[in-house]
Amino acid sequence: MNEKPQAPAIEGWFTMDDKPRLIGTQCCACGTYFFPKQQRYCKNPDCDSTDFREVQLSRTGRVWSYTNACYKPPAPFVAAEPFEPYTIAAVTLEEEQMTVLGQVVTGVNVSDLKVGMAMELVLEPLHETDDDIKMTWKWRPLAEQGEQH
Amino acid sequence: MSNDIAIIGAGMHPWGKWGHNFVEYGVAAAREALADAGIPWQDVGFVSGGATVRCGYPGYVAGATFAQALGWQGCEVNTSYAACASGSQALAAARNKILAGACDVALVIGADTTPKGFLAPAGGYRPEDPDWVRFYLGITNPTYFALYARRRMDLYGDTLEDFAAVKVKNSLIGSKNPRARYRKCFTAEDVAASAMVADPLRLMDICATSDGGAALIICSADYARRIGKADAPRIAAISTVTPSFASAVVEMPDIATDSAAAAGIEAHSFRAALPVKAYEEAGIGPEDVDVAEVYDLSTALELDWIEDLQLAPRGEAAQLLRRGDTAVGGRIPVNPSGGLACFGEAVPAQALAQVCELTWQLRGECGDRQVAGAKVGITANQGLFGHGSSVIIKR
């Protein structure tokens, strides 16, 4: 068991609890959501609001599409040695009507996924530093689908 | 007729990985275009360049750089930056200059030298930069193209064999193009044997980056008539529209799409919007198109473009491909140049290279690659930061 403390890979982008959520903003005038956070101007062409509230986004959604990374990305990505390919999904959040990219949890492959599949947000390590384990959001197939136990 | 702008000259420096200064490629392309037009350089009243951001200050002021390299002769200059659509934006600037009556003849030009190795963002901790964020989280350029490709497979039933067939088709026709960088004919087995990069895309499904240069000489209808080129291909439309909020497709370098949650807001596809304005401006429809040059950054993306240009109903591009409709000799040939699969991308030159190919096709000068009787051609491309373009030329 690794005894280093966990820390968010990007500060303030998601909650660090058991049921993590991405942290975005919502325009107080028109209701448009933003992730990453947008707090200065609304990108809806029908809206000129400068008033935003911080919100936690839905933690479940459906697969828009998916792929994997077979080659090690360049820095600032910090790769494990040897490099292990990982799966990536774009997941559409219904309430927010937006699609968010992220890695898929370790152990889930491209062959396990399908467009439309229900997914939930979880946290997993992205990489380690000398001081801590940098955690990031990842998508995981929602347990409830298929056979219910 | 007074709104018609003629393309009287086209030229390209062959694509490759030559390692020379980009100015050299641009000058070679410009000289070929001038010779093709049969006019002296001193007749050019406006040089409209596509910027290259990879080649330092001379690249930021490409219009002036090329004008100086060709010999200052007192013309006016312009430089456009619009990512992959830079060439089209430079073309639009030149067309508008002529339409405004400010000059008769313009040189439109773009060239690039690509650096060696991976293009990576600056280091440090910079979460305000979407490019830094996505690389930090492990999202590279092929990720986006693979997401689009996989979605086609799940929604429309496209297969790996379909994607490989795009490469086979383009490499066959590109092998006959002396300006292409890759001129080897590849088989479906070659594609299947290449390394998986981002499932379902393999190395041979994804285009490379190249050095290259392309140039066009365009002029007023009056000038074309005066020099005996009244029947030269004409620019019927240039669309360089931005996306409309909310953009529903996750685009490089972003980690998320727009939200379409606000009342009255609908999700839009940027790629599909690009040709709409072009068709409107040209006063024609997709049924009038004889040949298309599209931005096949991946094999699967060529199929997306065919549907975005409305050359096939959504989800049916692979059926056209399987029937041979998109090959030269088929009903609606796509990428008779060989496309990016055979050229590799030279960003500020690529949109102009597409128009060069259509110019030669409409003049019936493409030999083994000729699309018989081509009278109307359309281009399409999309780049970063909401830039993209679609150009229609006709004869």
Side-chain angles (χ1 to χ4, degrees):
Chain A
M1 199 63 191
N2 200 318
E3 288 169 18
K4 289 182 190 173
Q6 296 182 348
I10 306 178
E11 194 73 48
W13 280 37
F14 47 86
T15 65
M16 287 287 288
D17 45 340
D18 285 351
K19 301 267 183 194
R21 287 168 180 266
L22 297 172
I23 302 170
T25 55
Q26 185 177 27
C27 174
C28 297
C30 75
T32 297
Y33 292 90
F34 295 96
F35 179 78
K37 290 175 217 170
Q38 168 74 27
Q39 286 159 315
R40 303 279 180 223
Y41 43 85
C42 185
K43 295 182 183 176
N44 176 351
D46 298 329
C47 181
D48 62 0
S49 170
T50 52
D51 203 6
F52 298 85
R53 57 175 159 263
E54 194 167 288
V55 290
Q56 296 185 4
L57 305 184
S58 306
R59 60 176 301 274
T60 60
R62 294 197 177 272
V63 171
W64 184 83
S65 193
Y66 52 98
T67 180
N68 63 7
C70 301
Y71 285 90
K72 185 172 79 172
F77 186 78
V78 183
E81 292 292 343
F83 173 72
E84 286 289 332
Y86 51 89
T87 306
I88 296 166
V91 173
T92 304
L93 311 180
E94 189 179 16
E95 166 82 19
E96 292 81 359
Q97 292 191 52
M98 79 195 306
T99 300
V100 181
L101 279 177
Q103 288 190 28
V104 175
V105 291
T106 310
V108 174
N109 299 313
V110 163
S111 58
D112 300 321
L113 298 176
K114 209 72 191 161
V115 168
M117 187 180 275
M119 304 287 274
E120 66 176 334
L121 196 84
V122 297
L123 299 183
E124 265 197 2
L126 181 63
H127 67 97
E128 284 186 30
T129 67
D130 291 341
D131 303 324
D132 50 23
I133 302 170
K134 298 294 189 195
M135 305 295 286
T136 187
W137 79 87
K138 294 193 183 182
W139 297 109
R140 180 170 74 189
L142 200 56
E144 48 135 66
Q145 64 195 4
E147 308 86 334
Q148 194 105 32
H149 295 288
Chain B
M1 284 301 284
S2 62
N3 270 7
D4 277 358
I5 298 298
I7 302 174
I8 53 170
M12 284 169 66
H13 184 286
W15 264 225
K17 206 81 170 177
W18 312 109
H20 304 310
N21 189 298
F22 78 99
V23 184
E24 198 174 305
Y25 310 137
V27 167
R31 294 241 158 93
E32 185 183 324
L34 286 163
D36 184 37
I39 65 159
W41 156 234
Q42 284 79 4
D43 268 21
V44 171
F46 187 57
V47 174
S48 192
T52 165
V53 295
R54 295 167 172 167
C55 299
Y57 212 103
Y60 305 152
V61 295
T65 298
F66 293 127
Q68 184 183 33
L70 290 161
W72 293 128
Q73 39 85 317
C75 70
E76 292 179 285
V77 299
N78 162 77
T79 300
S80 297
Y81 183 73
C84 301
S86 296
S88 299
Q89 191 150 297
L91 181 64
R95 180 184 65 158
N96 294 347
K97 189 85 169 172
I98 296 168
L99 286 175
C103 75
D104 271 336
V105 186
L107 164 66
V108 188
I109 181 169
D112 206 5
T113 299
T114 53
K116 290 193 171 79
F118 231 123
L119 281 172
Y125 175 79
R126 299 182 305 110
E128 72 288 348
D129 174 1
D131 220 29
W132 181 91
V133 168
R134 54 124 177 176
F135 275 104
Y136 182 46
L137 297 176
I139 311 288
T140 61
N141 296 15
T143 302
Y144 296 86
F145 305 121
L147 290 171
Y148 309 153
R150 174 60 68 176
R151 193 165 160 82
R152 292 194 63 84
M153 295 175 75
D154 278 15
L155 260 52
Y156 312 138
D158 289 12
T159 64
L160 296 176
E161 290 72 29
D162 291 329
F163 301 154
V166 174
K167 177 70 175 188
V168 171
K169 169 184 79 77
N170 288 345
S171 75
L172 176 63
I173 201 72
S175 73
K176 300 168 184 174
N177 190 345
R179 295 177 173 88
R181 173 179 173 189
Y182 301 103
R183 298 186 57 197
K184 182 174 184 294
C185 289
F186 292 105
T187 64
E189 291 72 31
D190 292 331
V191 180
S194 69
M196 189 67 85
V197 174
D199 194 323
L201 298 180
R202 296 178 177 277
L203 196 56
M204 291 184 61
D205 287 300
I206 299 168
C207 94
T209 58
S210 291
D211 298 1
L216 296 168
I217 305 293
I218 68 170
C219 69
S220 63
D222 276 350
Y223 184 94
R225 227 178 346 263
R226 282 206 302 277
I227 64 163
K229 291 183 184 285
D231 64 342
R234 287 159 294 144
I235 300 170
I238 303 173
S239 164
T240 56
V241 295
T242 63
S244 288
F245 187 88
S247 189
V249 176
V250 64
E251 307 271 14
M252 191 159 70
D254 294 331
I255 202 79
T257 63
D258 292 336
S259 150
I265 291 296
E266 288 175 15
H268 295 280
S269 156
F270 180 36
R271 273 200 314 270
L274 283 162
V276 171
K277 190 212 169 199
Y279 284 133
E280 281 173 10
E281 188 175 311
I284 63 167
E287 67 280 0
D288 301 311
V289 171
D290 300 313
V291 54
E293 282 281 316
V294 306
Y295 227 60
D296 56 320
L297 293 164
S298 82
T299 51
L301 196 64
E302 177 171 307
L303 301 175
D304 281 327
W305 277 120
I306 288 167
E307 295 160 10
D308 293 323
L309 291 177
Q310 302 170 42
L311 303 175
R314 186 63 63 188
E316 294 181 18
Q319 293 172 38
L320 262 66
L321 171 77
R322 291 171 204 152
R323 287 198 297 263
D325 287 350
T326 58
V328 170
R331 188 172 64 74
I332 173 67
V334 175
N335 283 334
S337 69
L340 297 185
C342 298
F343 277 79
E345 188 186 20
V347 176
Q350 210 67 44
L352 293 175
Q354 292 182 314
V355 179
C356 285
E357 173 69 13
L358 292 185
T359 299
W360 292 317
Q361 287 285 350
L362 267 53
R363 294 194 326 208
E365 295 172 354
C366 288
D368 291 347
R369 293 180 293 111
Q370 182 62 43
V371 176
K375 297 288 181 206
V376 176
I378 189 168
T379 74
N381 66 64
Q382 186 198 345
L384 298 178
F385 319 118
H387 286 301
S389 70
S390 180
V391 175
I392 295 174
I393 73 169
K394 62 182 183 183
R395 194 179 188 197

